Amino acid sequence: MSPSRPTPFPSELYGGRLTIDLEAIADNWSFLDSKTDARTECAAAIKADAYGTGQDRVAPALFAAGCRTFFAAVPTEAIELRRLLPDAVIYVLDGLFPGTAEHFLEHRLRPVLGSLEELAEWSDLCKAAGQSFPAAVHVDTGIHRLGLSATQFADVMTDKAFLGPFEASLVMSHLACGSAPDHPMNRHQLDRFRQITAPVPHIPKSLANSAGILMGPDFHFDLVRPGIALYGGKALDNAPNAMKPVARVEARIMILRDVPQGDTIGYGATQTAPRPLKNAVVAAGYADGMLRRASSSDGRPGGFGMIGGHRAPILGRISMDMITLDVTDVPPDLLARGALVEMLGPDVAASDLAAYAETIDYEYLTSLGRRFERVYARLS
């Protein structure tokens, strides 16, 4: 079952619930769009099933909000997106896989060409068809993943064998350290991008992801490509998160039990009860995107859930299907078998959980809730 399709079972059969706020996602796009001026288009990165929130629901909501250009990662994502949005411009960030150009044409997709081999294949296709098909060209400004080198780009721009049959619809690069706005790499990449693309002022340009948008107009150019911020994630490490939360994960309490002081909890006996505790075991685990690295032990604290505004720390290791929470200090009237505990959402930010798990909120969002009931509704 695709995680973005309506869930087919009664609510009470699920171990938890994933609620996604489409209006909040649209509001986040509008907020980011407002950060740019009239000459800059605000697109949307919608890869990984819209960062785990459900592409089939999110894409139409963003299009209704005014977004017209979308970025997928791989061709299969883009083909599904085309079925949803027949009139959108759709780029494929991972470029042109060998022998797939005809599929791009069939579905009116634009590859982001990041190597001489990809450029040659696309150019040959256009030459054979006698028609120019749009594509983006990716230049590397320092992240050393995809993209042409500065020398390759300069050569390509003057080589009719490459760009004679078609003209790039976009020239783009990607920031390596955008989440740390004071990092010197950001200014270095901006300067490199300006230098590399100066000979092609007529081609639209794109450098900014979510962080780049929030770093100001120097990074905006002609098109910005927000991703994590659309889905409520924290784009800048050193600033408060201005985005609306868009998802809430709630896990069902299966059992409440007392644990004597000195007894251990969970696999590996890594957590010892420092006092008599009351525990709640909830039906969520790392198979549901609750990352095991956020476990607690005697040597380090783990993540937490929230019950009626009260913090419930994780106790011991997160297992595949369940998590144990310390509910000793939660009012008893909030605790009941079958009750739902917020494990991520407005009161438990993904970025906070990510800090405990020594990762980033992207990993939480893209891993969430494949076994949960999925609901599309306002969070507030």
Side-chain angles (χ1 to χ4, degrees), residues 318-338:
I318 295 171
S319 59
M320 182 183 293
D321 309 305
M322 61 190 75
I323 298 171
T324 301
L325 301 174
D326 181 357
V327 295
T328 311
D329 298 323
V330 176
D333 60 315
L334 298 178
L335 301 173
R337 177 170 163 261

Side-chain angles (χ1 to χ4, degrees), residues 33-373:
D33 184 43
S34 74
K35 293 293 184 181
T36 67
D37 61 26
R39 77 178 182 90
T40 300
E41 179 184 1
C42 187
I46 201 160
K47 57 188 179 175
D49 200 27
Y51 285 57
T53 61
Q55 175 179 273
D56 60 348
R57 300 294 295 270
V58 172
L62 287 172
F63 193 86
C67 184
R68 292 295 179 266
T69 300
F70 295 80
F71 288 81
V74 294
T76 52
E77 291 178 338
I79 291 169
E80 292 289 342
L81 186 56
R82 173 58 70 209
R83 292 169 182 162
L84 297 167
L85 302 177
D87 299 320
V89 173
I90 301 174
Y91 285 98
V92 180
L93 289 164
D94 285 5
L96 187 65
F97 297 165
T100 62
E102 292 292 344
H103 296 283
F104 279 75
L105 296 189
E106 178 186 354
H107 298 285
R108 294 178 289 117
L109 308 176
R110 301 183 181 187
V112 178
L113 305 171
S115 71
L116 295 178
E117 293 83 1
E118 289 181 346
L119 276 160
E121 186 172 343
W122 194 253
S123 182
D124 288 345
L125 176 80
C126 294
K127 192 183 304 180
Q131 185 177 347
S132 176
F133 300 114
V137 177
H138 193 155
V139 296
D140 177 41
T141 54
I143 196 171
H144 290 289
R145 298 192 312 181
L146 304 178
L148 302 178
S149 68
T151 301
Q152 288 174 329
F153 183 76
D155 290 343
V156 162
M157 289 297 112
T158 58
D159 188 341
K160 293 298 184 182
F162 278 111
L163 286 192
F166 80 99
E167 183 167 318
S169 57
L170 186 71
V171 178
M172 59 175 281
S173 193
H174 191 60
L175 295 170
C177 302
S179 62
D182 296 329
H183 198 291
M185 188 66 174
N186 295 313
R187 183 57 57 176
H188 168 74
Q189 286 190 268
L190 175 61
D191 292 343
R192 288 285 288 158
F193 189 63
R194 285 173 171 162
Q195 178 186 12
I196 291 169
T197 61
V200 289
H202 59 292
I203 301 177
K205 299 168 185 64
S206 177
L207 178 62
N209 54 5
S210 296
I213 296 171
L214 299 176
M215 285 195 291
D218 283 353
F219 291 85
H220 292 172
F221 294 94
D222 301 290
L223 182 142
V224 295
R225 319 181 304 269
I228 189 65
L230 293 176
Y231 309 102
K234 194 171 187 288
L236 300 179
D237 293 340
N238 66 349
N241 189 0
M243 313 314 297
K244 292 183 177 180
V246 307
R248 177 190 289 125
V249 172
E250 297 167 290
R252 196 176 303 281
I253 295 175
M254 296 184 289
I255 190 172
L256 295 158
R257 65 185 311 136
D258 296 318
V259 179
Q261 182 177 357
D263 278 12
T264 59
I265 300 146
Y267 282 128
T270 58
Q271 182 90 65
T272 307
R275 56 173 175 158
L277 299 178
K278 180 173 286 296
N279 290 0
V281 182
V282 299
Y286 58 76
D288 305 294
M290 298 287 101
L291 303 180
R292 190 171 182 268
R293 293 188 302 279
S295 299
S296 177
S297 70
D298 291 338
R300 64 181 292 272
F304 61 94
M306 292 293 288
I307 306 174
H310 298 271
R311 190 174 176 124
I314 290 173
L315 289 171
R317 287 184 183 167
I318 295 171
S319 59
M320 182 183 293
D321 309 305
M322 61 190 75
I323 298 171
T324 301
L325 301 174
D326 181 357
V327 295
T328 311
D329 298 323
V330 176
D333 60 315
L334 298 178
L335 301 173
R337 177 170 163 261
L340 292 170
V341 179
E342 182 177 319
M343 300 302 297
L344 180 147
D347 296 322
V348 188
S351 56
D352 291 339
L353 286 184
Y356 287 103
E358 299 177 344
T359 184
I360 53 177
D361 43 8
Y362 298 68
E363 186 176 8
Y364 267 101
L365 290 171
T366 57
S367 302
L368 285 177
R370 290 168 175 81
R371 299 189 297 183
F372 290 154
E373 177 188 19

